[in-house]
Amino acid sequence: SARSCVQWLPLVGGSETAEVLLNEACGNLRCIDWSNITAELMQSSTLVPGNSEGYTLYDLSRPVKQSETIDFFMSHSWHDDPKAKFEMLSAVASDFRRKYGRNPTFWLDKVCID
């Protein structure tokens, strides 16, 4: 577990303990809500859909709330067919919504890393 890992790593990165670093990482963790994921967003690793307002991809994500967990970690290739990828994600989100009564959250590298 993360707790036992913290006990075994007395110092990481100089004077900060592993527990301090873990707390900082948790405080910086972000996710993207399903409502912000579009077919256009999934087309390329760098595409900023409709960016006439000057926002960044990072602006599409949000901090993870204290008691919240991210529902899906998205690992994929930007070379995959974006239409097929979005269709599959839509099906996953729909199934999730039927089961849990809410839309899922995702971790997606292009929007969750500053």
Side-chain angles (χ1 to χ4, degrees), residues 92-104:
V92 167
S94 180
D95 288 347
F96 186 94
R97 188 172 36 259
R98 272 194 301 280
K99 186 172 183 178
Y100 297 103
R102 65 175 178 81
N103 282 323

Side-chain angles (χ1 to χ4, degrees), residues 43-112:
Q43 287 180 8
S44 152
S45 64
T46 58
L47 180 67
V48 181
N51 192 7
S52 61
E53 304 298 317
Y55 68 86
T56 66
L57 289 169
Y58 191 70
D59 294 330
L60 294 173
S61 68
R62 64 169 176 79
V64 174
K65 297 170 188 152
Q66 188 169 0
S67 62
E68 181 181 30
T69 57
I70 298 171
D71 299 308
F72 296 100
F73 177 90
M74 199 180 319
S75 179
H76 65 102
S77 169
W78 289 109
H79 300 289
D80 292 341
D81 176 359
K83 183 179 180 204
K85 187 185 321 183
F86 187 73
E87 287 173 358
M88 183 56 67
L89 284 172
S90 295
V92 167
S94 180
D95 288 347
F96 186 94
R97 188 172 36 259
R98 272 194 301 280
K99 186 172 183 178
Y100 297 103
R102 65 175 178 81
N103 282 323
T105 57
F106 293 82
W107 187 91
L108 175 62
D109 55 355
K110 118 179 201 177
V111 299
C112 293

